[in-house]
Amino acid sequence: MRPRTRSSVPYLQRVLFATMLESSTEKPVIRVAVFSAQPHDKHFFNCVNQECFQSLHAELVFHTSPLSKETAALAGRCDAVCVFVNDCVDEDVLQLLLDQGVRGVFLRCAGFNNVDLKAAKKLGLFVARVPAYSPEAVAEFAVALILTLNRRTHRAYNRVREGNFDLSSLLGFNMHGKTVGIVGVGKIGLAAARIFKGFGCNLLAYDPYEVDEFKALGAYTTFENLLQQSDIVTLHCPLLVSTKHLISRASLMNLKWGAMLINTSRGGIIDTAAVIDALKSGQIGALGLDVYEKEAGLFFVDHSSDIIHDDVFQRLLTFPNVLVTGHQAFLTGEALTEIAETTLQNLQHFAHGTACSNALVGGDAI
């Protein structure tokens, strides 16, 4: 197929879909290559597509492979691609997609740090995301990590299964009265704040953009003071240039001795090597991670029979006060349904040439 230039893409999109929609004998079909597709993606996207978006006539083609320069060819004969957090959507990949006729990139997640938006705009591509999906899902999972690490339920479970009912080394603390520092007070941070308030915790927050709703639950403060005062620090901010390695050797010097650190946002917010040293010294009392800065190629895949060559990640797993999960905080039926619904709504706007409020590039009415 002839590569499409920047100026021709919007026009061709109008012509293509206007022709399909006006035809009385042929149903409009938009073909989407879904990368990094897991069984739950297939299930929820197919269900929502069949039950709620039949008029869109979208054909979803699922690929377990992540999107990269090597796999971009799988999007051949597709109008759009649907990608996830660890897919590579840089300028080279975007150009390869455009050369095959792809005109839209749809993220089934909130974060978009893996997409070169400047290149997408230059190439005339449409890019949209799912800005919010069941914030309670991620917030509740962050609390689950905290409770598990605090009361050592994962260790107690394994002991009891072996007939060991010894309570030594299982001592925890009351959540009531403890100070929790929330870094990033968006929808997820607010949901977490409500839960912690129910435990009777004192709440501090750091976010450059303050919202009044949190002020009824706790107090905003500086990042340094939050680290100094909090017994538990939980991260709920996006990965931006300003938040890359926000938890660093320098910032960890301000952390309250023995505090618990939780990250369910993006792996790159934490400097893992610095955190390992803080664990060794006792500066960090417990660490809960659902994300890891080098998780691409590691998470979402069964490596139980493989040798994992990431020595930093392997070192993390040796600490008894560290709990790592494989980026599953979003994994609830409610969240997956919302992700599929919003993604397909974004696709519908793209197909019909209407304004899309979730667009990052090309969201105006066509």
Side-chain angles (χ1 to χ4, degrees):
M1 182 176 290
R2 179 175 61 85
R4 302 180 179 188
T5 63
R6 178 186 176 188
S7 60
S8 66
V9 170
Y11 172 75
L12 288 177
Q13 184 170 308
R14 288 197 298 270
V15 172
L16 173 63
F17 288 108
T19 301
M20 291 192 298
L21 290 171
E22 290 172 1
S23 172
S24 59
T25 59
E26 186 177 350
K27 292 181 179 179
V29 174
I30 182 167
R31 186 177 169 89
V32 183
V34 184
F35 286 89
S36 298
Q38 298 293 319
H40 55 261
D41 293 312
K42 297 178 184 179
H43 174 75
F44 283 92
F45 267 84
N46 280 334
C47 286
V48 172
N49 188 30
Q50 293 166 10
E51 294 175 8
C52 305
F53 290 88
Q54 289 186 10
S55 61
L56 180 59
H57 301 291
E59 180 183 355
L60 306 178
V61 184
F62 296 95
H63 301 288
T64 57
S65 303
L67 177 60
S68 66
K69 286 192 291 186
E70 291 73 27
T71 62
L74 295 172
R77 298 189 301 111
C78 289
D79 305 287
V81 295
C82 180
V83 299
F84 199 44
V85 293
N86 292 323
D87 288 309
C88 176
V89 200
D90 60 17
E91 184 171 9
D92 291 340
V93 170
L94 289 171
Q95 184 64 62
L96 289 171
L97 293 174
L98 181 64
D99 291 344
Q100 298 177 96
V102 171
R103 299 178 307 284
V105 177
F106 296 85
L107 295 100
R108 55 185 189 274
C109 53
F112 50 90
N113 55 282
N114 56 328
V115 183
D116 188 334
L117 296 180
K118 290 183 179 179
K121 185 175 182 179
K122 180 180 69 175
L123 295 170
L125 293 169
F126 180 100
V127 182
R129 63 168 180 153
V130 181
Y133 49 88
S134 186
E136 290 77 17
V138 180
E140 289 169 8
F141 194 83
V143 176
L145 289 177
I146 292 169
L147 293 175
T148 301
L149 283 165
N150 175 26
R151 304 305 298 268
R152 278 77 164 176
T153 49
H154 56 312
R155 300 183 67 185
Y157 171 79
N158 288 327
R159 284 189 189 184
V160 169
R161 286 181 63 86
E162 296 173 354
N164 180 358
F165 302 95
D166 183 11
L167 299 182
S168 61
S169 302
L170 299 181
L171 185 67
F173 57 80
N174 285 3
M175 292 283 291
H176 184 86
K178 295 298 183 293
T179 299
V180 178
I182 302 172
V183 180
V185 190
K187 293 182 182 297
I188 296 173
L190 274 173
R194 297 187 198 101
I195 297 172
F196 291 126
K197 196 66 177 179
F199 276 102
C201 297
N202 303 311
L203 302 184
L204 295 175
Y206 168 72
D207 195 309
Y209 306 97
E210 298 183 3
V211 294
D212 292 336
E213 189 174 350
F214 177 79
K215 294 177 182 179
L217 301 171
Y220 281 99
T221 186
T222 64
F223 181 55
E224 291 75 15
N225 187 61
L226 181 148
L227 294 178
Q228 292 167 359
Q229 300 298 321
S230 299
D231 302 293
I232 301 166
V233 176
T234 180
L235 307 177
H236 298 289
C237 50
L239 179 58
L240 308 169
V241 174
S242 59
T243 60
K244 172 73 173 179
H245 285 181
L246 185 65
I247 301 297
S248 62
R249 294 186 188 279
S251 62
L252 284 169
M253 293 179 65
N254 293 306
L255 186 69
K256 184 176 183 179
W257 189 267
M260 182 185 294
L261 178 63
I262 303 294
N263 188 11
T264 55
S265 51
R266 286 292 183 268
I269 295 171
I270 285 180
D271 181 343
T272 310
V275 164
I276 287 175
D277 287 341
L279 284 164
K280 290 165 65 177
S281 70
Q283 182 81 41
I284 294 177
L287 175 69
L289 301 178
D290 186 52
V291 289
Y292 172 57
E293 60 180 328
K294 295 182 180 179
E295 69 180 58
L298 182 62
F299 284 10
F300 308 116
V301 180
D302 182 0
H303 291 289
S304 58
S305 298
D306 303 331
I307 295 175
I308 296 175
H309 295 282
D310 187 334
D311 293 339
V312 175
F313 183 77
Q314 292 289 68
R315 182 69 178 95
L316 273 177
L317 300 183
T318 65
F319 291 93
N321 55 342
V322 171
L323 181 59
V324 180
T325 53
H327 207 136
Q328 70 177 79
F330 73 98
L331 200 65
T332 68
E334 292 84 352
L336 289 169
T337 299
E338 289 186 42
I339 288 171
E341 288 176 345
T342 304
T343 302
L344 290 169
Q345 285 171 359
N346 294 340
L347 185 65
Q348 192 169 54
H349 284 297
F350 169 74
H352 293 166
T354 55
C356 178
S357 61
N358 296 327
L360 300 168
V361 177
D364 297 334
I366 298 170

